[in-house]
């Protein structure tokens, strides 16, 4: 990665060059700012090679749902992913209408069957109805909270058929030990919802404290609902 940002081969990276490169990670400016502050130990606005590697490591931590802190540096994480060096799934913020939807047709049929079995009202499922299905996955509550945040694309506290498919896709990814992303990859944005999201950065990666509060209020407290109906394979 270093040659891409250290064009002068001086063994250091300027803030302006690093900002352009790090934005390709798909993380929010808020998270990237925190990463920069931790990596730029002397506050000079320049990273040496070691500090740049720290920044990359923190990007990888954030992409895999770990805390952006120096304590996370020693945890095992996959290498950081950037939009122009990896798969279409990682093209955050560039929801092109040409990009095929990551949810396969045969899986969508299964997810639709689960959706219909939960008695949607006007084509929508409330948090109360989705919560038992999410809890049945036995995934950690913080992961399920992020699944809900990412799948409730229009932030109305309800999931329509396509949003529910996104939630199920993310749950199955997590069950396969795939990290749940911090932002919804472009290929996961349903084609029906791509137009308003075509502007990079239109969807915040980390919701503000108010929207977090609202969306968690729309879900009943954990523990009320026992896991009764396992997700059908």
């Amino acid at each position: 990665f270093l040659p891409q940002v250290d064009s002068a081969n001086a063994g250091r990276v300027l803030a302006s060059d690093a900002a352009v490169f790090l934005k390709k990670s798909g993380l929010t400016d808020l998270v990237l700012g925190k990463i920069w502050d931790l990596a730029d130990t002397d506050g000079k606005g320049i990273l040496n090679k070691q500090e740049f590697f720290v920044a990359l490591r923190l990007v990888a931590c954030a992409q895999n749902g770990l805390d952006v802190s120096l304590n996370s540096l020693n945890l095992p994480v996959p290498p950081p992913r950037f939009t122009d060096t990896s798969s279409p799934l990682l093209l955050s913020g560039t929801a092109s209408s040409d990009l095929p939807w990551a949810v396969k047709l045969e899986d969508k049929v299964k997810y639709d069957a689960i959706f219909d079995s939960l008695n949607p009202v006007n084509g929508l499922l409330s948090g109360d109805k989705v919560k038992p299905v999410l809890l049945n996955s036995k995934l950690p509550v913080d992961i399920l909270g992020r699944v809900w945040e990412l799948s409730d694309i229009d932030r109305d506290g309800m999931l329509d058929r396509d949003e529910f498919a996104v939630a199920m896709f993310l749950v199955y990814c997590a069950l396969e030990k795939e990290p749940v992303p911090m932002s919804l990859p472009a290929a996961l944005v349903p084609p029906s919802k791509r137009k308003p999201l075509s502007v990079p950065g239109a969807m915040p990666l980390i919701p503000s404290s108010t929207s977090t509060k609202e969306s968690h209020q729309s879900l009943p407290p954990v523990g009320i609902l026992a896991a009764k109906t396992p997700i059908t394979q």
Side-chain angles (χ1 to χ4, degrees):
F1 293 125
L2 192 60
Q4 294 184 48
V5 281
D6 180 18
S7 51
N9 201 22
R12 60 200 177 113
V13 180
L14 299 176
S16 54
D17 296 331
V20 173
F21 180 74
L22 293 175
K23 266 187 175 299
K24 296 175 184 176
S25 66
L27 299 172
T28 53
D29 292 344
L30 190 71
V31 174
L32 292 176
K34 188 175 179 184
I35 287 172
W36 180 269
D37 290 341
L38 287 171
D40 185 16
T41 48
D42 50 13
K44 288 182 177 174
I46 296 173
L47 299 185
N48 61 28
K49 192 180 290 190
Q50 186 61 40
E51 290 170 332
F52 182 64
F53 289 145
V54 167
L56 290 178
R57 187 95 183 149
L58 289 170
V59 165
C61 290
Q63 288 176 331
N64 287 281
L66 299 174
D67 283 338
V68 177
S69 73
L70 298 177
N71 294 334
S72 301
L73 287 175
N74 296 324
L75 299 173
V77 287
R81 306 178 300 273
F82 296 94
T83 51
D84 58 350
T85 58
S86 199
S87 71
L89 251 185
L90 303 165
L91 291 166
S92 299
T94 53
S96 159
S97 54
D98 303 330
L99 206 57
W101 196 18
V103 178
K104 294 188 177 70
L105 188 60
E106 60 266 28
D107 291 333
K108 180 71 164 66
V109 171
K110 283 186 263 184
Y111 302 153
D112 282 351
I114 301 172
F115 182 87
D116 290 331
S117 73
L118 296 171
N119 301 318
V121 178
N122 298 324
L124 295 169
L125 288 176
S126 65
D128 292 5
K129 290 182 176 177
V130 176
K131 183 102 180 179
V133 179
L134 296 182
L135 285 175
N136 288 340
S137 68
K138 304 289 193 292
L139 291 169
V141 177
D142 59 328
I143 297 292
L144 294 177
R146 196 184 315 154
V147 166
W148 174 269
E149 292 282 349
L150 292 174
S151 53
D152 184 15
I153 295 167
D154 51 16
R155 297 281 185 265
D156 62 353
M158 317 269 272
L159 298 188
D160 63 20
R161 194 175 289 271
D162 286 350
E163 290 173 324
F164 182 77
V166 171
M168 290 292 93
F169 182 92
L170 290 170
V171 163
Y172 281 113
C173 281
L175 289 171
E176 295 294 326
K177 307 298 182 211
E178 292 275 335
V180 174
M182 299 300 281
S183 65
L184 194 64
L188 253 184
V189 177
S192 62
K193 307 208 177 267
R194 288 189 181 183
K195 280 184 181 171
L197 286 175
S198 60
V199 181
M203 193 174 81
L205 281 170
I206 295 182
S208 66
S209 55
T210 51
S211 69
T212 307
K213 202 196 267 180
E214 284 162 13
S215 37
H216 285 308
Q217 280 173 350
S218 68
L219 294 172
V222 177
I224 289 179
L225 296 157
K228 288 175 185 168
T229 48
I231 299 171
T232 50
Q233 289 291 339

